[in-house]
Amino acid sequence: MPEYAVPEYAVVHEKPRSFYSLYERKPELQHQTHYCPGCGHGIAHKLIARAIDELGIQDRTVMISPVGCSVFAYYYFDTGNVQVAHGRAPAVATAVKRSRPESIVLAYQGDGDLAAIGAAEIVHAANRGEPFTVIFINNGIYGMTGGQMAPTTLLGRKTTTTPFGRNAWNEGYPLRVCELLASLEAPVYIERVALGGNRQIMKAAGAVRRAIENQVKGLGFSLVEILSPCPTIWKMNPVEAQRLVLGEMTEAFPLGVFRDRTKSATVRPAAPPAPPLAEIPRILGLTEGCESTPSQPAGSSDWRIRVAGFGGQGVLMLGEILIEAGLEAGLDVSWLPSYGPEMRSGTSNCHVRLSSGPIDSPLVSRPNVLLALNEPSLRKFLPTVAPRGWVFYNGTQLPDGCERPDVQAVVRPFTEIADRVGDPRAANMTMLGALLGATGMLTEERVLTALRRKVSSGRWLEIDQRALDSGIEAVIKGVSHES
Amino acid sequence: MTALDRGIVALDSEECKGCGLCIEACPPKVLSLRRLLNRYGYRPAVYAGSGCTGCGICFFVCPEPGAITVLRRGGGACQNN
Ligand SMILES: Cc1ncc(C[n+]2csc(CCOP(=O)(O)OP(=O)(O)O)c2C)c(N)n1
Ligand code: SF4
Ligand code: SF4
Ligand code: SF4
């Protein structure tokens, strides 16, 4: 920022401090925003940044930037930021405000974002009276994607999706968001302002400041709708676009205060603090099997497991029992079922991780344990198994072409063993037993606790327990065909 | 120049995008677009050099965060807001 040292003169208006001095977006454009010349987003940004400066809240402000032309707001505001999915700013703002009540949360949204894809989000956030501030930029169009109709598009206006002009019979009427939200009980402050020239802009500055100040005072939901020019998509020069805001837009969307309960509103009580983690099982009524607090596993482990078979063999269930038991043992776990078109033609598989450290990705592309309940699964996944990994196969011997001398193979007729103890469909549990017996990955107790939690039928619980035991025996005693 | 102007406006020709909103809004019409393009290919706004009242209107209508800085003689509150 250049210094203007002119004797007798003092700076009265300059770039607000809440903007970065340089923008990191592109090396060659650190001095310029990405907005088109004359875009209303720039003016709205300036009004917000000034209000942040004036209220002295820069270090606790969190902007929630949307999808739309203002997606890059985080390059400009030197505040906290979360850039969120299209239309979801009110949901994320709710989360940020509830978990950090001392922060000042500003949800910045376009009209496609707020009034189309995010219409449900804003209605419910307003109805709950979430105590954050929404700055709603209404430029009557989808700017970023090249000019499709927005719910706020004026009647008769041609857009790429209303090539003959917006027709009320076909596309409905311009949606008046302030009026809609003002029918709700909870909002504290709702005002519509515009950027059609300096008089309107000065008024907008006051409204933006008030909406933010309400939050600083701990009052409830505040929203300012700003009628804003988009010269590029409107195919006008910036001066003409500004006149359209002042004229046609202001006629269709009357300016004014639609709700002001700032005087009578009481400071909203902060959300109660979250209960300690250890209390959660009790609150959720998960006391059964939770008497033992999860213990830290001895030593480090990182099991990357792929379970595969045909539909009905209990592949996904095997994975679920594994992670439930892993959680019980205090491990970090993940379970990712792999749904694909092949599911319908028979085979299914899941990715399971049990780790004593944090899990970076739930995908298991290089397993150190493969549980193959049928031959096609073995053929498909055997080549992916890491050297010295484990392979459990449901059969009497490895089929031709499945030699991997560098892995440890446990081959047993798991379906037959399950049939002997009650039901061939418990083959997944005999294989799980073998896994425990061979690797010592988890204790049988942990797995039994998991089973009791997951299997509601008493008859099946019994069968599964017997199947688990016989699977363990099958490896320890070397029952049936050794490989 | 007989008396000092009430205001001075400083324009950053590399941040300005030549939208013309300040020119349209300035009451004494002391701003105009330069003929020479800036580095980005825009014709930036320039100050005539005298006649600024320091009203600050150009600052508020300008969409660029730091393209305009307004100074006023002796500082003080703005009459227009
Ligand atoms: C879930 C999802 N759906 C659609 C899109 C495509 N999309 C990006 S921006 C946009 C509209 C933005 O319009 P608006 O909110 O009015 O903001 P403007 O660009 O006009 O400032 C759409 C539909 C997307 N990114 N994500
Ligand atoms: S397309 Fe419209 S809303 Fe988007 S940056 Fe350009 S002028 Fe602004
Ligand atoms: S401060 Fe007022 S008078 Fe001076 S250039 Fe800006 S708009 Fe014109
Ligand atoms: S309003 Fe700002 S960007 Fe537009 S011409 Fe004036 S100084 Fe340049």
Side-chain angles (χ1 to χ4, degrees):
Chain A
M1 163 121 339
E3 282 292 318
Y4 300 105
V6 189
E8 296 188 52
Y9 288 85
V11 171
V12 285
H13 298 295
E14 62 183 333
K15 180 173 174 175
R17 290 184 305 280
S18 298
F19 285 124
Y20 287 112
S21 49
L22 288 177
Y23 316 130
E24 295 293 325
R25 196 173 65 90
K26 284 188 175 171
E28 71 282 12
L29 281 176
Q30 301 214 338
H31 205 58
Q32 290 210 328
T33 67
H34 70 289
Y35 296 115
C36 310
C39 173
H41 279 301
I43 301 174
H45 280 21
K46 202 182 227 173
L47 301 184
I48 294 169
R50 264 177 77 92
I52 295 173
D53 281 6
E54 285 169 11
L55 295 165
I57 52 170
Q58 184 184 5
D59 58 355
R60 58 187 177 119
T61 295
V62 181
M63 291 276 296
I64 311 293
S65 53
V67 166
C69 280
S70 48
V71 65
F72 290 144
Y74 53 87
Y75 281 113
Y76 311 129
F77 287 97
D78 185 2
T79 61
N81 183 283
V82 186
Q83 202 287 309
V84 299
H86 207 13
R88 272 46 181 168
V92 176
T94 298
V96 175
K97 188 67 187 176
R98 287 191 181 192
S99 54
R100 301 206 175 272
E102 72 293 348
S103 58
I104 301 299
V105 179
L106 309 182
Y108 188 102
Q109 300 191 260
D111 47 359
D113 195 75
L114 181 144
I117 194 168
E121 300 280 347
I122 192 67
V123 168
H124 293 292
N127 193 40
R128 296 190 305 266
E130 298 294 344
F132 54 72
T133 307
V134 181
I135 307 292
F136 168 40
I137 307 297
N138 177 357
N139 58 16
I141 201 83
Y142 288 10
M144 185 199 210
T145 42
Q148 295 79 4
M149 189 200 88
T152 43
T153 298
L154 300 178
L155 285 179
R157 189 149 294 270
K158 288 185 179 165
T159 70
T160 59
T161 46
T162 56
F164 306 111
R166 181 176 188 170
N167 174 349
W169 293 114
N170 207 42
E171 291 93 28
Y173 292 87
L175 199 68
R176 296 196 182 114
V177 169
C178 287
E179 287 85 334
L180 200 69
L181 296 181
S183 73
L184 304 172
E185 206 48 52
V188 163
Y189 177 68
I190 299 175
E191 179 165 359
R192 184 183 289 121
V193 293
L195 303 180
N198 70 293
R199 276 171 209 286
Q200 288 194 333
I201 292 171
M202 294 316 302
K203 208 136 195 266
V208 166
R209 194 193 140 122
R210 271 195 77 189
I212 301 175
E213 203 171 9
N214 288 342
Q215 189 180 165
V216 175
K217 290 179 180 160
L219 309 179
F221 184 88
S222 297
L223 177 141
V224 180
E225 173 174 344
I226 304 180
L227 306 181
S228 176
C230 170
T232 301
I233 304 289
W234 295 358
K235 300 192 177 66
M236 295 175 181
N237 72 44
V239 173
E240 289 165 354
Q242 194 180 58
R243 287 204 190 109
L244 192 132
V245 171
L246 183 66
E248 226 182 307
M249 277 273 266
T250 303
E251 259 164 52
F253 296 99
L255 305 188
V257 177
F258 293 87
R259 168 66 54 84
D260 187 356
R261 294 191 179 158
T262 48
K263 292 237 163 57
S264 57
T266 44
V267 172
R268 192 185 153 102
L277 218 51
E279 283 286 286
I280 303 239
R282 192 187 53 78
I283 293 167
L284 296 178
L286 295 172
T287 42
E288 204 252 326
C290 286
E291 309 82 24
S292 59
T293 46
S295 60
Q296 270 316 106
S300 71
S301 53
D302 182 14
W303 296 104
R304 297 156 183 261
I305 307 161
R306 198 73 180 252
V307 191
F310 62 76
Q313 280 187 315
V315 163
L316 303 187
M317 154 101 175
L318 203 176
E320 283 187 274
I321 298 292
L322 266 174
I323 57 156
E324 195 72 29
L327 269 182
E328 193 56 31
L331 296 165
D332 278 15
V333 304
S334 67
W335 173 79
L336 185 72
S338 187
Y339 298 110
E342 76 274 12
M343 284 269 293
R344 264 159 241 146
S345 65
T347 69
S348 75
N349 75 83
C350 65
H351 309 237
V352 176
R353 290 193 60 184
L354 303 178
S355 172
S356 55
I359 290 172
D360 48 4
S361 160
L363 281 177
V364 175
S365 45
R366 192 116 180 93
N368 53 23
V369 176
L370 170 63
L371 301 171
L373 281 148
N374 65 3
E375 187 180 323
S377 304
L378 180 75
R379 290 197 184 278
K380 182 165 178 195
F381 293 111
L382 184 64
T384 66
V385 177
R388 293 188 303 284
W390 290 90
V391 174
F392 294 80
Y393 177 58
N394 182 17
T396 49
Q397 62 181 67
L398 286 174
D400 288 344
C402 288
E403 291 78 29
R404 273 287 303 265
D406 60 333
V407 300
Q408 312 170 67
V410 177
V411 182
R412 301 285 187 280
F414 291 109
T415 303
E416 272 174 45
I417 300 172
D419 195 18
R420 266 182 253 147
V421 297
D423 194 307
R425 284 174 294 173
N428 57 349
M429 291 300 125
T430 49
M431 189 175 265
L432 175 57
L435 175 69
L436 302 186
T439 66
M441 179 184 293
L442 293 159
T443 64
E444 190 183 3
E445 263 160 71
R446 302 282 190 207
V447 175
L448 288 174
T449 306
L451 272 174
R452 278 195 289 271
R453 211 174 284 155
K454 285 277 172 196
V455 180
S456 47
S457 138
R459 191 181 82 86
W460 266 105
L461 188 59
E462 253 177 61
I463 295 173
D464 284 346
Q465 285 182 3
R466 284 203 302 274
L468 192 69
D469 284 335
S470 49
I472 296 174
E473 263 172 51
V475 282
I476 293 176
K477 298 193 184 151
V479 169
S480 307
H481 327 260
E482 272 299 343
S483 70
Chain B
M1 199 158 55
T2 47
L4 279 178
D5 286 323
R6 269 182 45 76
I8 297 179
V9 64
L11 294 146
D12 183 337
S13 62
E14 294 305 306
E15 181 163 350
C16 170
K17 291 176 185 156
C19 71
L21 291 176
C22 58
I23 295 160
E24 175 75 12
C26 172
K29 300 288 168 218
V30 292
L31 301 174
S32 60
L33 289 186
R34 186 175 85 182
R35 188 164 281 283
L36 192 68
L37 304 183
N38 70 8
R39 200 145 58 96
Y40 304 102
Y42 296 121
R43 289 181 59 195
V46 287
Y47 175 40
S50 67
C52 172
T53 65
C55 68
I57 287 174
C58 55
F59 175 85
F60 283 96
V61 299
C62 174
E64 308 311 321
I68 296 183
T69 304
V70 178
L71 296 86
R72 205 175 296 148
R73 189 144 53 90
C78 180
Q79 281 172 351
N80 292 62
N81 60 10

